[in-house]
Amino acid sequence: MAVVDVTKSCLDSISQISEHIEGSVLYLDAGCTKSFQYTGAFPLLLNHGVRALCSLENISSLDTVVDWNANSDPVRKVVVITSRLLSDAHRYILRCLSTHQAVDCCTVFTSVSEIAHSAYPDSPLGPDAFHEYESLLVQDYEELVKKDKKNSRRTEGSNLKDISQNEASLSARNFIEDKSVADTEDVGKKLVVSVHHFPMILCPLSPRVFVLPSEGSVGDAYLSVKHEDALSPGLPPLSTGLLSDGDDIPAGATLTANFLYHLAAKMDLKMEIFSLGDLSKTVGKIMTDMSSLYDVGRRKRSAGLLLIDRTLDLLTPCCHGDSLVDCMFSSLPRREKTTSSAHLKSSQNQLKHGPSNLERASLDVQIPLALVLREEDNNTDNFRLLESIEAFLCGWDSGNSASQVLDLMNLKNKVHNEKPLEFENELLSGSFVSTESFRGTPYMEAILDRRTKDGAVLVKKWLQEALRRENITVNVKSRPGFVTKSELQLMVKALAKTQSSLLRNKGIIQLAAAALVALDESNSARWEAFMSAERILSVVSAGDTTQSLSAQIDDLINKTALMGLHGQKNKKSEASKGLLSFQDALLLMISGYILAGENFPTSGSDGPFSWQEEKLLKDSIVEAILENPSIAKLKFLHGLMEELETNLSRIKSDESKETSSDQIDIDDFDDDQWGKWGDEEVDNKNNSKEQVYSDMQLKLELRDRVDNLFKFLHKLSSLKSRNIPLKDGSLSSENNFSGDPYASRGLLYKLLTRVLAKNDVPGLEYHSSTVGQLFKSGFRRFGLGQAKPSLADQNIILVFVIGGINSVEVREAQEALSESGRPDIELILGGTTLLTPDDMLDLLLGKSSYF
């Protein structure tokens, strides 16, 4: 029996479109680039005859000569693969076609199905979306060609000038000039456009764990409209039992349902759908409505699909669990997004009740290899990165190295002298690739469910094996079962000492470099401080009263505010010293309120704490923001930051004036000055009254903002009472602290444990297809009615968390499967995105929040 492998299914899907991409210049948008990067698909694309790979958003005139050689023909075939709606990608596709004037065939692949295009709110495309877009693109392209013909000479000259400014070679320019006449004739030919569906745009973290790429329409679509039960456009609403219907269905529900339906079809799986949560039920209903007799008749492997709302468990992604992968993703910098929401003409921005934008954190992390492979640390070797790039540029244009490459060398010297480290980091940064493996075992799969210490030990073992294979000896003291940053760094440098060894072992080198960042003192100390604070909150929330919990939260706020004020004076950030910031304290306060709501169910609508306890918390936050406004750059202070900073500057100025006035000797005053004191006293009184009024107004406005913050926290504390599946307490977060910091389990672990044991789960709904219901109703007439299917009866189970997952949940899901005694079950885990605690803070209190 074939083993389910998400990564292999993605690569197979690429091979299935090999006829379309062969001999083409392939353009990928940002979402597809991330997907293919994690999948390791770039070598496969080149093996299938792709002439060049280019960025759809960053189209350049150099794309026309990117694969040029003496015998090449101009590009006639362009293929675009996009993870966005066709309407969103249209302007980029049009720009791509205008860049390649000789193209006569354009093939567009989109990850959004034709049905999803027509069902998307305010979509300009109808039921026959793909054919409609083919006509639209040809029409717009012909109009563009007509405009270009009127100014062909001027356009041709400007194109050559642009290429010259971008350091293109003289031979490349001659190539364009030779082909310019033919290109002009070809422009008038009819463009052939075809649009197809390519659903396998996802980021596999391992063969059985995947998330959706950011900057894609499915991953970035809003999951809830703004209403009383909504927390964030990036999270499902609370499960109150009121399902969305018709126009109220969020775009994310429609796109997610279509994605999962076609994912199952590509993997030849026939899904039995179960859901927990209101939005999951909506997605399940859409998927069952898409089923047909055609699906029933096909021979497919049976599988169970379990859909879960993220809002049923917000505590797990808010906490800093013991996971090396979570720590790496939180510590590593992310690449800047290719397109900003301000310039993206998304149809989603036109929705009346939807958010203006939803920007999820990029999954494309930057692993700083340059920090590990510093040139000054490799004096004994000839591995000089910048010189190697310079040599490549000279070789690319050997006929004109004196003129064209001189500017490049001057630029290199300038950058090398001014900002060498930043330049090297930009040139040499790694990324995670799920297909990189050690003896057939993918690196990411092996460490995804590991704790920090276990994962680091495993990385160290892989480095030692790689050094042994390369016959490299490293003089380093090593203790079995322990890992230090210095020994990892020495092994990585030794393994990357030569370019050949670097290329052969790039997978483990990149992973080790990422682990080094996570194990760095500033990052690891902050992560451990979080874990310690969360452990304390977990302990005190198990008490009989809320007093200890509120006192701990108040203490965290005051300490972080004091540290922030001290750090501002010393011009050092808390993060640089591994300490928690004021925003970190707000994230801990969110966890504290969720814990209080679960452990003190008798708390009223005014929150889990008494008004005296909450007043102290409010006062602490107000004072902290007034003393240092820069520590709380969050959405709830939008429009008030400038006034707060101005007020703080005025207070400091007044304090400095008072200090200087105390030092003035009374003998310095002459007789004339005594006569003016009366007038000055009146002016000072008037100014002080105005200032007191201004200060009071600012404080009142700030208190109103803080009051709204606590109303939002009250909503978070009511998750257990307002989410219907959590009311009986069987799935709420455990909080029986027994000395083991990892004893508490999240919702996913408890849900899978109950499901695999065939126990009843409150709120779990089974979605029977229309065809299935028809057969069952017919059988019931003859007394042959079938029992409700059980998810535990399936040998393949796909769990998808709408809103996102983290690595701790991957481990807990594997533990639940191991404890069930069912080794025959193949478990696949997916989610909208990979969540870090910082992502949760942004979703709940940041720019992506409805608060």
Side-chain angles (χ1 to χ4, degrees), residues 320-335:
H320 295 68
D322 189 14
S323 167
L324 179 61
V325 172
D326 279 348
C327 191
M328 288 194 296
F329 270 91
S330 296
S331 303
L332 289 168
R334 312 287 181 98
R335 295 186 192 274

Side-chain angles (χ1 to χ4, degrees), residues 415-455:
V415 176
H416 185 74
N417 292 332
E418 292 182 356
K419 294 183 178 180
L421 183 58
E422 288 81 354
F423 187 57
E424 288 181 30
N425 288 342
E426 183 179 351
L427 287 174
L428 192 60
S429 60
S431 302
F432 291 123
V433 181
S434 65
T435 51
E436 293 284 356
S437 61
F438 175 76
R439 295 179 180 175
T441 302
Y443 291 120
M444 288 294 293
E445 180 185 17
I447 69 166
L448 193 57
D449 58 351
R450 300 273 180 153
R451 302 188 191 276
T452 304
K453 180 182 177 181
D454 296 339

